[in-house]
PDB file of all heavy atoms in Angstrom:
ATOM      1  N   GLY Y 158     -21.164  -9.130 -15.768  1.00  0.00           N
ATOM      2  CA  GLY Y 158     -21.520 -10.179 -14.820  1.00  0.00           C
ATOM      3  C   GLY Y 158     -22.501  -9.689 -13.777  1.00  0.00           C
ATOM      4  O   GLY Y 158     -23.466 -10.376 -13.428  1.00  0.00           O
ATOM      5  N   ILE Y 159     -22.275  -8.473 -13.268  1.00  0.00           N
ATOM      6  CA  ILE Y 159     -23.199  -7.886 -12.293  1.00  0.00           C
ATOM      7  C   ILE Y 159     -24.558  -7.629 -12.943  1.00  0.00           C
ATOM      8  O   ILE Y 159     -25.606  -7.888 -12.349  1.00  0.00           O
ATOM      9  CB  ILE Y 159     -22.613  -6.578 -11.731  1.00  0.00           C
ATOM     10  CG1 ILE Y 159     -21.354  -6.877 -10.921  1.00  0.00           C
ATOM     11  CG2 ILE Y 159     -23.639  -5.847 -10.864  1.00  0.00           C
ATOM     12  CD1 ILE Y 159     -20.602  -5.652 -10.476  1.00  0.00           C
ATOM     13  N   SER Y 160     -24.532  -7.144 -14.187  1.00  0.00           N
ATOM     14  CA  SER Y 160     -25.776  -6.880 -14.906  1.00  0.00           C
ATOM     15  C   SER Y 160     -26.596  -8.153 -15.086  1.00  0.00           C
ATOM     16  O   SER Y 160     -27.813  -8.157 -14.908  1.00  0.00           O
ATOM     17  CB  SER Y 160     -25.465  -6.253 -16.270  1.00  0.00           C
ATOM     18  OG  SER Y 160     -26.633  -6.114 -17.042  1.00  0.00           O
ATOM     19  N   SER Y 161     -25.924  -9.258 -15.442  1.00  0.00           N
ATOM     20  CA  SER Y 161     -26.621 -10.532 -15.629  1.00  0.00           C
ATOM     21  C   SER Y 161     -27.235 -11.021 -14.327  1.00  0.00           C
ATOM     22  O   SER Y 161     -28.362 -11.526 -14.309  1.00  0.00           O
ATOM     23  CB  SER Y 161     -25.646 -11.587 -16.175  1.00  0.00           C
ATOM     24  OG  SER Y 161     -25.166 -11.227 -17.445  1.00  0.00           O
ATOM     25  N   THR Y 162     -26.494 -10.861 -13.230  1.00  0.00           N
ATOM     26  CA  THR Y 162     -27.014 -11.274 -11.929  1.00  0.00           C
ATOM     27  C   THR Y 162     -28.225 -10.442 -11.533  1.00  0.00           C
ATOM     28  O   THR Y 162     -29.248 -10.970 -11.070  1.00  0.00           O
ATOM     29  CB  THR Y 162     -25.921 -11.150 -10.848  1.00  0.00           C
ATOM     30  OG1 THR Y 162     -24.790 -11.948 -11.222  1.00  0.00           O
ATOM     31  CG2 THR Y 162     -26.431 -11.612  -9.500  1.00  0.00           C
ATOM     32  N   LEU Y 163     -28.132  -9.120 -11.722  1.00  0.00           N
ATOM     33  CA  LEU Y 163     -29.258  -8.253 -11.408  1.00  0.00           C
ATOM     34  C   LEU Y 163     -30.470  -8.566 -12.286  1.00  0.00           C
ATOM     35  O   LEU Y 163     -31.614  -8.509 -11.832  1.00  0.00           O
ATOM     36  CB  LEU Y 163     -28.854  -6.788 -11.582  1.00  0.00           C
ATOM     37  CG  LEU Y 163     -27.837  -6.234 -10.581  1.00  0.00           C
ATOM     38  CD1 LEU Y 163     -27.441  -4.817 -10.949  1.00  0.00           C
ATOM     39  CD2 LEU Y 163     -28.398  -6.274  -9.164  1.00  0.00           C
ATOM     40  N   GLU Y 164     -30.208  -8.912 -13.548  1.00  0.00           N
ATOM     41  CA  GLU Y 164     -31.296  -9.247 -14.460  1.00  0.00           C
ATOM     42  C   GLU Y 164     -32.041 -10.489 -13.982  1.00  0.00           C
ATOM     43  O   GLU Y 164     -33.274 -10.549 -14.013  1.00  0.00           O
ATOM     44  CB  GLU Y 164     -30.752  -9.481 -15.866  1.00  0.00           C
ATOM     45  CG  GLU Y 164     -31.810  -9.842 -16.885  1.00  0.00           C
ATOM     46  CD  GLU Y 164     -31.244 -10.025 -18.278  1.00  0.00           C
ATOM     47  OE1 GLU Y 164     -30.033  -9.805 -18.461  1.00  0.00           O
ATOM     48  OE2 GLU Y 164     -32.016 -10.401 -19.172  1.00  0.00           O
ATOM     49  N   ILE Y 165     -31.300 -11.486 -13.539  1.00  0.00           N
ATOM     50  CA  ILE Y 165     -31.925 -12.712 -13.039  1.00  0.00           C
ATOM     51  C   ILE Y 165     -32.730 -12.421 -11.783  1.00  0.00           C
ATOM     52  O   ILE Y 165     -33.866 -12.884 -11.624  1.00  0.00           O
ATOM     53  CB  ILE Y 165     -30.854 -13.782 -12.767  1.00  0.00           C
ATOM     54  CG1 ILE Y 165     -30.243 -14.257 -14.084  1.00  0.00           C
ATOM     55  CG2 ILE Y 165     -31.454 -14.965 -12.017  1.00  0.00           C
ATOM     56  CD1 ILE Y 165     -29.060 -15.168 -13.904  1.00  0.00           C
ATOM     57  N   VAL Y 166     -32.131 -11.656 -10.873  1.00  0.00           N
ATOM     58  CA  VAL Y 166     -32.827 -11.321  -9.626  1.00  0.00           C
ATOM     59  C   VAL Y 166     -34.126 -10.578  -9.936  1.00  0.00           C
ATOM     60  O   VAL Y 166     -35.192 -10.883  -9.382  1.00  0.00           O
ATOM     61  CB  VAL Y 166     -31.930 -10.465  -8.713  1.00  0.00           C
ATOM     62  CG1 VAL Y 166     -32.721  -9.940  -7.521  1.00  0.00           C
ATOM     63  CG2 VAL Y 166     -30.741 -11.286  -8.225  1.00  0.00           C
ATOM     64  N   ALA Y 167     -34.054  -9.602 -10.849  1.00  0.00           N
ATOM     65  CA  ALA Y 167     -35.219  -8.775 -11.162  1.00  0.00           C
ATOM     66  C   ALA Y 167     -36.270  -9.534 -11.941  1.00  0.00           C
ATOM     67  O   ALA Y 167     -37.470  -9.470 -11.630  1.00  0.00           O
ATOM     68  CB  ALA Y 167     -34.783  -7.531 -11.943  1.00  0.00           C
ATOM     69  N   ASN Y 168     -35.827 -10.268 -12.970  1.00  0.00           N
ATOM     70  CA  ASN Y 168     -36.763 -10.896 -13.903  1.00  0.00           C
ATOM     71  C   ASN Y 168     -37.313 -12.212 -13.384  1.00  0.00           C
ATOM     72  O   ASN Y 168     -38.521 -12.422 -13.332  1.00  0.00           O
ATOM     73  CB  ASN Y 168     -36.056 -11.108 -15.249  1.00  0.00           C
ATOM     74  CG  ASN Y 168     -37.022 -11.392 -16.377  1.00  0.00           C
ATOM     75  OD1 ASN Y 168     -38.031 -12.042 -16.178  1.00  0.00           O
ATOM     76  ND2 ASN Y 168     -36.702 -10.914 -17.563  1.00  0.00           N
ATOM     77  N   LYS Y 169     -36.416 -13.098 -12.979  1.00  0.00           N
ATOM     78  CA  LYS Y 169     -36.839 -14.465 -12.678  1.00  0.00           C
ATOM     79  C   LYS Y 169     -37.087 -14.724 -11.202  1.00  0.00           C
ATOM     80  O   LYS Y 169     -37.632 -15.761 -10.839  1.00  0.00           O
ATOM     81  CB  LYS Y 169     -35.792 -15.452 -13.204  1.00  0.00           C
ATOM     82  CG  LYS Y 169     -35.666 -15.415 -14.720  1.00  0.00           C
ATOM     83  CD  LYS Y 169     -34.722 -16.489 -15.226  1.00  0.00           C
ATOM     84  CE  LYS Y 169     -34.667 -16.500 -16.742  1.00  0.00           C
ATOM     85  NZ  LYS Y 169     -33.766 -17.553 -17.241  1.00  0.00           N
ATOM     86  N   PHE Y 170     -36.655 -13.815 -10.340  1.00  0.00           N
ATOM     87  CA  PHE Y 170     -36.861 -14.035  -8.913  1.00  0.00           C
ATOM     88  C   PHE Y 170     -37.906 -13.063  -8.367  1.00  0.00           C
ATOM     89  O   PHE Y 170     -39.011 -13.450  -8.029  1.00  0.00           O
ATOM     90  CB  PHE Y 170     -35.534 -13.899  -8.163  1.00  0.00           C
ATOM     91  CG  PHE Y 170     -35.617 -14.279  -6.726  1.00  0.00           C
ATOM     92  CD1 PHE Y 170     -35.744 -15.603  -6.356  1.00  0.00           C
ATOM     93  CD2 PHE Y 170     -35.578 -13.312  -5.734  1.00  0.00           C
ATOM     94  CE1 PHE Y 170     -35.838 -15.964  -5.024  1.00  0.00           C
ATOM     95  CE2 PHE Y 170     -35.669 -13.658  -4.393  1.00  0.00           C
ATOM     96  CZ  PHE Y 170     -35.797 -14.990  -4.040  1.00  0.00           C
ATOM     97  N   LEU Y 171     -37.564 -11.791  -8.320  1.00  0.00           N
ATOM     98  CA  LEU Y 171     -38.491 -10.801  -7.765  1.00  0.00           C
ATOM     99  C   LEU Y 171     -39.709 -10.603  -8.669  1.00  0.00           C
ATOM    100  O   LEU Y 171     -40.845 -10.566  -8.197  1.00  0.00           O
ATOM    101  CB  LEU Y 171     -37.765  -9.474  -7.559  1.00  0.00           C
ATOM    102  CG  LEU Y 171     -36.630  -9.466  -6.530  1.00  0.00           C
ATOM    103  CD1 LEU Y 171     -35.958  -8.101  -6.500  1.00  0.00           C
ATOM    104  CD2 LEU Y 171     -37.155  -9.834  -5.150  1.00  0.00           C
ATOM    105  N   GLY Y 172     -39.463 -10.463  -9.969  1.00  0.00           N
ATOM    106  CA  GLY Y 172     -40.548 -10.150 -10.893  1.00  0.00           C
ATOM    107  C   GLY Y 172     -41.645 -11.192 -10.909  1.00  0.00           C
ATOM    108  O   GLY Y 172     -42.834 -10.873 -10.786  1.00  0.00           O
ATOM    109  N   VAL Y 173     -41.255 -12.469 -11.073  1.00  0.00           N
ATOM    110  CA  VAL Y 173     -42.276 -13.515 -11.159  1.00  0.00           C
ATOM    111  C   VAL Y 173     -42.999 -13.706  -9.833  1.00  0.00           C
ATOM    112  O   VAL Y 173     -44.200 -14.028  -9.806  1.00  0.00           O
ATOM    113  CB  VAL Y 173     -41.665 -14.853 -11.635  1.00  0.00           C
ATOM    114  CG1 VAL Y 173     -41.190 -14.762 -13.064  1.00  0.00           C
ATOM    115  CG2 VAL Y 173     -40.540 -15.318 -10.722  1.00  0.00           C
ATOM    116  N   ASN Y 174     -42.289 -13.516  -8.733  1.00  0.00           N
ATOM    117  CA  ASN Y 174     -42.940 -13.632  -7.431  1.00  0.00           C
ATOM    118  C   ASN Y 174     -43.966 -12.531  -7.229  1.00  0.00           C
ATOM    119  O   ASN Y 174     -45.103 -12.789  -6.811  1.00  0.00           O
ATOM    120  CB  ASN Y 174     -41.896 -13.582  -6.313  1.00  0.00           C
ATOM    121  CG  ASN Y 174     -41.242 -14.918  -6.055  1.00  0.00           C
ATOM    122  OD1 ASN Y 174     -41.819 -15.785  -5.413  1.00  0.00           O
ATOM    123  ND2 ASN Y 174     -40.041 -15.093  -6.559  1.00  0.00           N
ATOM    124  N   VAL Y 175     -43.561 -11.298  -7.528  1.00  0.00           N
ATOM    125  CA  VAL Y 175     -44.491 -10.174  -7.398  1.00  0.00           C
ATOM    126  C   VAL Y 175     -45.648 -10.332  -8.377  1.00  0.00           C
ATOM    127  O   VAL Y 175     -46.811 -10.082  -8.040  1.00  0.00           O
ATOM    128  CB  VAL Y 175     -43.757  -8.837  -7.628  1.00  0.00           C
ATOM    129  CG1 VAL Y 175     -44.754  -7.679  -7.690  1.00  0.00           C
ATOM    130  CG2 VAL Y 175     -42.749  -8.597  -6.511  1.00  0.00           C
ATOM    131  N   GLY Y 176     -45.340 -10.755  -9.612  1.00  0.00           N
ATOM    132  CA  GLY Y 176     -46.388 -10.960 -10.608  1.00  0.00           C
ATOM    133  C   GLY Y 176     -47.401 -11.998 -10.174  1.00  0.00           C
ATOM    134  O   GLY Y 176     -48.616 -11.805 -10.310  1.00  0.00           O
ATOM    135  N   SER Y 177     -46.919 -13.112  -9.635  1.00  0.00           N
ATOM    136  CA  SER Y 177     -47.821 -14.162  -9.149  1.00  0.00           C
ATOM    137  C   SER Y 177     -48.698 -13.653  -8.013  1.00  0.00           C
ATOM    138  O   SER Y 177     -49.902 -13.938  -7.956  1.00  0.00           O
ATOM    139  CB  SER Y 177     -47.002 -15.371  -8.690  1.00  0.00           C
ATOM    140  OG  SER Y 177     -47.825 -16.379  -8.170  1.00  0.00           O
ATOM    141  N   LEU Y 178     -48.093 -12.882  -7.115  1.00  0.00           N
ATOM    142  CA  LEU Y 178     -48.852 -12.327  -5.995  1.00  0.00           C
ATOM    143  C   LEU Y 178     -49.920 -11.359  -6.486  1.00  0.00           C
ATOM    144  O   LEU Y 178     -51.074 -11.390  -6.028  1.00  0.00           O
ATOM    145  CB  LEU Y 178     -47.899 -11.621  -5.033  1.00  0.00           C
ATOM    146  CG  LEU Y 178     -48.540 -10.876  -3.855  1.00  0.00           C
ATOM    147  CD1 LEU Y 178     -49.287 -11.856  -2.956  1.00  0.00           C
ATOM    148  CD2 LEU Y 178     -47.487 -10.114  -3.064  1.00  0.00           C
ATOM    149  N   LEU Y 179     -49.548 -10.494  -7.428  1.00  0.00           N
ATOM    150  CA  LEU Y 179     -50.489  -9.507  -7.935  1.00  0.00           C
ATOM    151  C   LEU Y 179     -51.646 -10.152  -8.683  1.00  0.00           C
ATOM    152  O   LEU Y 179     -52.800  -9.723  -8.559  1.00  0.00           O
ATOM    153  CB  LEU Y 179     -49.762  -8.508  -8.843  1.00  0.00           C
ATOM    154  CG  LEU Y 179     -48.733  -7.595  -8.159  1.00  0.00           C
ATOM    155  CD1 LEU Y 179     -48.010  -6.747  -9.189  1.00  0.00           C
ATOM    156  CD2 LEU Y 179     -49.402  -6.710  -7.110  1.00  0.00           C
TER     157      LEU Y 179
END
Side-chain angles (χ1 to χ4, degrees):
I159 294 172
S160 174
S161 297
T162 302
L163 292 175
E164 180 178 356
I165 291 172
V166 171
N168 196 325
K169 296 185 177 181
F170 187 72
L171 295 177
V173 293
N174 277 282
V175 172
S177 178
L178 175 63
L179 293 175

